[in-house]
Structure formats: structure tokens, C-alpha cells
Amino acid sequence: MFVRGRRLRKKESIRNLVEETTISVNDLIFPIFLIDGKNKTEDIPSMPGVQRKTLDLHFHDINQAIKLGINAVILFPVIPKNKKNKKATEAINKNGLLPLSIKKIKKEFPELVIISDIALDPFNSDGHDGLVYKNEVLNDKTVDILCKQAIIHAQSGVDIVAPSDMMDGRVLKIRQKLDSKGFHDISIMSYAAKFASSLYGPFRDALNSSPKKGDKKTYQINPANSREAIKEILYDEAEGADMLIVKPASFYLDVIKEARDLSLLPIVAYQVSGEYSMIRTAADKGYLDLNDVMHESLLSIKRAGADMIITYFALEYAKLIRKN
Ligand code: PBG
């Protein structure tokens, strides 16, 4: 048979009709790096175009994001070195940067979905997502603190908590703790399949949160393992997660696809800092077209089956598609 596939590509209007995947502003989650104080911005050398900012300056961006139709932000606090310690106590400070920021954002933008990252690495002088004792990252003791952290965020007005630590059993424990305190309506967006990826480097620069010793391979998943990733996805669903994150996105499109096929929950893909920086830097050098590659990268992630994408391109991409 001689098939004329080109009939469906003959002109733009036909191509539009048969287009299978689209991205809308509804799919975008906007990540924010928070610093303490007022009217301050700091560049992040390994993430050109992304800045750490004080909340007052983020308000401007959030306002713009909402006007463009973005529904959600995810918050990452940058904690000064003198507030980090081995017990990560700043993680459960009710008056810490994150809880106070959640409160202020909620007050100013009550309709916005606020997502907070649950993990200890921004607060831990060891730079790990859990407490370190004799070179071991402790599971159950870490989970106890993560539960407290989740409650403080809930009390501050967060809509969704996103545990990114990869400790075992934390989704179940956080769900039980939230429910026991009456926070039945706070969702858990679990970083279920989080790989021990080399693509988080720029994020760790942004937060000054690189592990002081060793790597994260005893808790994050081996990049070689997709079955294990699916196991984590299914267990987090069973433990009570409301949404599941696959992270990073582009190098793990097979995992996104399989997660989409095997779970009925919304699948979130995190296009991480390294993915962002690779595209941004190549574009800055003039090797690639920023808008085209940004679009194609997000499209591939949606095509693989993601319902939502956490991306540092959120604001820029929203501007791009709103213009067209
Ligand atoms: C930490 C956390 C990380 C990211 C989100 N939460 C880094 C890590 O696990 O070391 C990475 C995000 C990115 O690279 O954009 N719990």
C-alpha cells in the first residue's frame, strides 16, 4: 500500500486539526526560590534567567503568572548557612521563611494553589534530605520530622505538600498526621519516582544544598531502573498520595508513560534545573532556538503522559502561548 501521510501535513490548518498533544497554562507549575528580606534578587550562575528573590519581588511574578492563567506555584526556601544544622531544626520553625511566605502568598492570592516541598536538605548542614547519623541517612527519624514540617505548612495555608525526600513510608505517615490534625483537604503530591540524577546540580547551587558527603543513591532511585520506579509509584499511590511526580522528566519519558498507564492518579513531571539549564545555555549561545526547544521539550513530556509539568520555563512559556 502507498500511503500519502503528507495529506495530513499539507497546510497549517490541517496540521492543527490533527494535532494530538497540546499544552495549556493549566498544565504549568511555577517554581520559586525564596530568600529572606526585602527588595533583593540574586542570580544563580548555573541557572541563567532564574533568580532567588525576596517575597515582595516574587509577588510581581506571581501576579503576572496568575494573569497569564497559571494556577500553581511550588516554593523552595534558600536558608542561610548559619541557620542550617545537623538536626535541620529550621525545617520545623513555625516562623521560618517558608511558613511565613506561605501565609503571605495565601493572603495576597487566595485562589492560587500553593505547593511546598517537604524534605530536609535546604535546612540540613549535611545537605541530605534526611538526618545523617554515622554516615547513614536515617529513615524513620527523618519521617517524624517531615510529618511535623507538613503540619506546619498546612497550618500556614499550603494547599499541597510535596515530599521530595524519598524516605520510605513518608506518604502514609504524612497522610495520617495531616488527617489526625484535621487537614483532610491538604493533598499530597509525592515525588514518587525520583531518580538519583546528575541533573539536580543547578538546583543545589540555587539552595546551597549539595550533600556535604557522599551522594543520594541510598534513597533516590538508580537511573537504570524503571521497574523499581514503577514500584515506588504504585506504593506511593497505595500509601495515599493524590498525585505522583516523576523526576527528572526528559531523560525519563518512558517512566512517565508507564506511570500514566499504570496509575489512575494525575502524573506530574518535573523538568528539573539541569534540563532547564541545558536548554537555556544552548539557546543563550545561539546554538538552539529557545522558544522552539522550550516548546518541544514540554510537548514531549506531555506527549509521554504527564498531566502537569513543574518547569522553570513556566512564566516564559505562559507568556509565549498567551501571545500566540
Ligand atoms: C530536594 C529537591 C531537589 C530538587 C527538588 N527538591 C534536589 C535533590 O534531590 O538533590 C531538584 C529540583 C531541580 O533540580 O530542579 N529534596
Side-chain angles (χ1 to χ4, degrees):
M1 196 167 56
F2 187 105
V3 179
R4 294 211 181 263
R6 291 181 57 189
R7 276 186 212 121
L8 299 184
R9 294 173 223 139
K10 193 169 74 178
K11 53 182 179 177
E12 192 176 356
S13 41
I14 293 183
R15 292 195 296 275
N16 287 345
L17 278 176
V18 300
E19 185 160 272
E20 297 174 29
T21 308
T22 51
I23 313 169
S24 102
V25 284
N26 283 335
D27 307 324
L28 304 173
I29 298 173
F30 179 28
I32 283 175
F33 293 118
L34 283 164
I35 50 177
D36 203 8
K38 275 208 171 73
N39 198 25
K40 271 197 297 191
T41 49
E42 295 171 359
D43 289 337
I44 305 161
S46 54
M47 295 185 81
V50 177
Q51 290 176 313
R52 311 176 187 105
K53 293 182 190 174
T54 50
L55 191 59
D56 51 333
L57 299 184
H58 277 308
F59 271 12
H60 173 78
D61 294 350
I62 296 174
N63 216 344
Q64 213 181 1
I66 292 173
K67 284 203 178 115
L68 289 162
I70 290 179
N71 300 297
V73 291
I74 183 162
L75 308 177
F76 298 102
V78 182
I79 305 298
K81 211 170 163 189
N82 63 7
K83 289 197 175 162
K84 299 189 188 201
N85 59 34
K86 275 191 77 66
K87 290 190 170 166
T89 43
E90 186 62 18
I92 48 172
N93 175 2
K94 281 190 181 128
N95 297 313
L97 175 61
L98 196 50
L100 293 184
S101 302
I102 294 169
K103 271 188 200 155
K104 289 181 193 158
I105 298 173
K106 189 81 189 181
K107 192 156 169 240
E108 191 77 14
F109 308 104
E111 293 307 316
L112 183 71
V113 176
I114 306 175
I115 307 168
S116 68
D117 196 79
I118 300 291
L120 301 185
D121 50 316
F123 316 94
N124 186 349
S125 49
D126 285 307
H128 278 285
D129 293 42
L131 299 177
V132 179
Y133 182 68
K134 292 189 179 164
N135 288 328
E136 193 193 329
V137 177
L138 303 179
N139 195 88
D140 300 7
K141 283 210 161 60
T142 298
V143 172
D144 288 344
I145 305 181
L146 299 175
C147 288
K148 289 186 188 146
Q149 195 183 17
I151 294 299
I152 290 173
H153 294 183
Q155 285 165 340
S156 308
V158 89
D159 297 285
I160 300 176
V161 290
S164 70
D165 52 286
M166 290 301 282
M167 298 299 118
D168 292 327
R170 89 278 205 220
V171 172
L172 179 69
K173 295 281 183 189
I174 291 173
R175 183 72 271 157
Q176 286 172 344
K177 194 75 180 182
L178 286 170
D179 289 349
S180 76
K181 301 272 183 187
F183 293 114
H184 307 99
D185 292 336
I186 306 293
S187 307
I188 298 178
M189 177 190 275
S190 164
Y191 288 76
K194 178 171 177 178
F195 290 89
S197 171
S198 48
L199 294 167
Y200 308 145
F203 175 96
R204 293 177 191 167
D205 290 343
L207 260 57
N208 298 317
S209 65
S210 292
K212 217 159 72 184
K213 241 169 104 188
D215 51 41
K216 299 193 175 184
K217 291 181 185 167
T218 66
Y219 44 108
Q220 299 178 348
I221 305 168
N222 179 350
N225 293 358
S226 62
R227 282 199 308 269
E228 189 181 349
I230 296 304
K231 183 185 84 178
E232 294 285 347
I233 290 270
L234 296 178
Y235 278 126
D236 276 12
E237 177 166 353
E239 285 185 28
D242 300 284
M243 304 182 207
L244 301 162
I245 304 180
V246 176
K247 171 188 176 181
S250 304
F251 291 2
Y252 298 86
L253 295 178
D254 56 326
V255 178
I256 295 175
K257 168 102 178 69
E258 212 164 335
R260 174 61 296 145
D261 290 346
L262 294 175
S263 172
L264 294 176
L265 297 183
I267 301 297
V268 186
Y270 196 147
Q271 185 182 47
V272 301
S273 57
E275 298 175 75
Y276 166 85
S277 293
M278 285 193 286
I279 295 171
R280 167 70 68 182
T281 310
D284 285 350
K285 284 200 165 248
Y287 299 159
L288 295 172
D289 181 89
L290 180 65
N291 288 347
D292 288 350
V293 181
M294 177 165 69
H295 174 65
E296 193 172 329
S297 69
L298 296 172
L299 199 59
S300 70
I301 295 165
K302 266 220 86 179
R303 195 189 59 235
D307 300 287
M308 283 163 264
I309 308 173
I310 304 170
T311 171
Y312 301 96
F313 289 124
L315 195 53
E316 238 173 322
Y317 188 72
K319 284 182 201 161
L320 185 73
I321 54 180
R322 273 296 148 107
K323 219 169 44 200
N324 292 338

